[in-house]
Amino acid sequence: MTNPGKPPGTGAFAIEKAVVIIGAVAAAGLAVVHGTGLLLALVTGRPLPSFGAARAVGLLQGAPYVPGIPPAVHGTVIAVAAVVALLLARRVLRWRTYRAAAPKQRAVDFDARPGWATRDAVRRVASAKAILAQATTLRPGLDQPRAADAGYLLGTAHAEPVWASVERSILVIGPPGSGKGLHVAINAILDAPGAVITTSTKPDNLKATITSRADRGPVGVFDPQGMLGDGFTHLIAWDAIAGCENPMRAATRAEALAANTGIGDSSDNRVWRVHAKTVIETVLHAAALDGASIEDAYRWMQSAHALEEPLAILQSHPAACATWDDRLRALALNADSRFVGSMLSVVAAAIAPLALPTVRASLTPGPGRPSITAEALLAEAGTLYALATDRGAAASAGLVSALIEDIAYTARITAARSPGGRMDPPVLFLLDECANVAPIPS
């Protein structure tokens, strides 16, 4: 009878497999006996033995395989040979393990993972030739553009140069000390053909590139927290009021400031952030229309009573944006004092850095801090370094966000009115430590 739990022929296959293994081991044993016998004969000058399976088995019974060589000596040589073979095998395995873990081999294995670009893909999409094919579109003002005019060299992959076009958005993620600044950020700043706007929490990139960038155009450092000190020669001031006669620019700056209140889009308290934005944008608009300073705007946003002054400007000025006085009145003169208090607390969080004179000084042009405008920066292919953090009493990430949003808005308008619908030369926004310096709402 057959066992219903086993497939037909399973037992016969197991027997055949066992016979093959036993035969292989026996053949290997005979080969070792004969090989060591030949070695002993060569070393001692004895006649070379002829192969014989019966004589090899006889060695186990005490009969010499090589005439004149005692079986004990032959057995010792076999044992030594076995030990040497095991050590060699262990060495080979260790070498293969080390080679698999070596940096170069890891890089090769990493590049070979599914989903990663092959050499053909790099040549097709990210080579200098691929960049040059787009160059006339990316740089309409150049007759014979080079790859460096329309892209950034990032490094190599599969021994092929890897380029990224100037219109690509690039996200670089790595732990501290992994070379993001040294190998990517600094090179991009130095290679940028047009204006550069870059952020950071520390001045490393600035110090490595500012001299070279100063040879190509105007350079300015926006340092609202005073990291570099008042004596730094390239400090600039950004007049956050200038340009807010345009309601769109006032709204853009206000959105960036309100985004740094800590209230997210999905929060139940998002409505308070919207109210704070309304107050800030109407105050900025009123200040610009009246020729007021950032000191005035800051004072106006301290209380509901103080908001009556910008409200009066919006009501009487002929260039004021229609309905903006009504929007501010509905908030500042609301009959519910708790509503007004909650709203002003969110406004206070958005403009908290302005409480410090150092921060307000960075927003007030003067002899030691010339003014910078987005229009001049873009037109002259200048470089703006913005230093700030979102920590501490002087945290001014919101101001940096507002400045960058203003420049980005101006760049979009300029591009839309330029040949080909793009900036030429292109603008590089290199936002190092973006999440800690300038979380951009847009």
Side-chain angles (χ1 to χ4, degrees):
M1 295 179 61
T2 60
N3 188 342
K6 292 184 179 181
T10 301
F13 175 76
I15 294 173
E16 292 175 0
K17 186 176 180 181
V19 170
V20 170
I21 293 174
I22 293 172
V25 171
L30 294 175
V32 169
V33 172
H34 184 66
T36 52
L38 291 176
L39 178 63
L40 286 170
L42 290 172
V43 172
T44 61
R46 306 283 182 176
L48 295 178
S50 57
F51 178 77
R55 292 174 55 245
V57 174
L59 181 65
L60 299 176
Q61 300 173 348
Y65 186 81
V66 180
I69 301 296
V73 174
H74 198 162
T76 301
V77 172
I78 292 176
V80 170
V83 171
V84 170
L86 289 174
L87 291 175
L88 287 175
R90 181 170 177 267
R91 184 70 177 178
V92 169
L93 289 175
R94 289 184 62 185
W95 177 81
R96 292 186 63 182
T97 302
Y98 168 78
R99 183 175 180 272
K104 288 185 178 180
Q105 185 62 35
R106 287 203 304 268
V108 171
D109 294 341
F110 192 82
D111 288 344
R113 289 182 177 185
W116 293 92
T118 63
R119 175 173 293 183
D120 289 341
V122 170
R123 288 176 176 172
R124 185 174 64 255
V125 177
S127 64
K129 183 178 180 180
I131 295 296
L132 288 173
Q134 312 169 50
T136 54
T137 301
L138 298 174
R139 299 297 307 275
L142 298 180
D143 294 329
Q144 294 182 327
R146 302 166 300 140
D149 295 323
Y152 299 102
L153 180 61
L154 301 180
T156 60
H158 305 290
E160 296 286 339
V162 177
W163 290 80
S165 76
V166 292
E167 67 177 358
R168 291 283 186 184
S169 296
I170 302 173
L171 175 64
V172 180
I173 300 176
S178 60
K180 302 184 299 295
L182 177 62
H183 299 298
V184 179
I186 290 176
N187 291 335
I189 294 171
L190 293 174
D191 294 342
V196 174
I197 295 87
T198 179
T199 63
S200 187
T201 58
K202 49 189 181 297
D204 296 1
N205 296 347
L206 180 155
K207 293 180 178 179
T209 61
I210 192 168
T211 301
S212 177
R213 291 298 303 184
D215 293 336
R216 303 174 62 175
V219 167
V221 180
F222 183 60
D223 183 19
Q225 293 176 224
M227 296 184 192
L228 300 176
D230 293 335
F232 193 76
T233 56
H234 294 285
L235 292 178
I236 56 92
W238 174 52
D239 188 347
I241 303 297
C244 286
E245 301 89 346
N246 180 343
M248 183 63 72
R249 296 187 79 164
T252 299
R253 298 175 190 181
E255 176 67 27
L257 289 170
N260 282 271
T261 57
I263 301 175
D265 289 336
S266 60
S267 172
D268 293 338
N269 295 320
R270 184 177 183 276
V271 64
W272 295 109
R273 195 183 85 180
V274 174
H275 292 330
K277 172 183 175 293
T278 299
V279 171
I280 296 171
E281 69 188 11
T282 53
V283 167
L284 291 176
H285 184 49
L289 293 173
D290 195 54
S293 68
I294 192 67
E295 300 274 356
D296 297 321
Y298 177 66
R299 177 173 54 81
W300 292 343
M301 289 184 279
Q302 298 306 303
S303 67
H305 175 71
L307 284 173
E308 293 179 9
E309 191 168 345
L311 177 58
I313 296 171
L314 295 175
Q315 289 174 327
S316 60
H317 201 287
C321 183
T323 75
W324 277 33
D325 56 333
D326 296 329
R327 296 171 64 213
L328 181 58
R329 183 185 302 106
L331 298 176
L333 304 183
N334 192 288
D336 187 345
S337 60
R338 290 179 301 176
F339 172 90
V340 175
S342 298
M343 175 199 67
L344 289 176
S345 68
V346 179
V347 172
I351 63 172
L354 295 179
L356 298 175
T358 302
V359 176
R360 293 202 300 274
S362 69
L363 302 176
T364 307
R369 292 177 186 253
S371 177
I372 186 174
T373 64
E375 290 81 1
L377 179 71
L378 298 174
E380 300 173 23
T383 304
L384 174 65
Y385 300 90
L387 299 178
T389 69
D390 64 346
R391 298 288 186 270
S396 50
L399 295 175
V400 174
S401 298
L403 172 56
I404 292 175
E405 284 279 30
D406 187 62
I407 297 173
Y409 167 78
T410 305
R412 286 192 288 268
I413 296 297
T414 305
R417 299 172 182 176
S418 300
R422 61 181 66 245
M423 291 285 297
D424 188 13
V427 184
L428 171 64
F429 286 87
L430 196 151
L431 308 182
D432 191 15
E433 298 283 355
C434 180
N436 295 325
V437 179
I440 309 298
S442 63

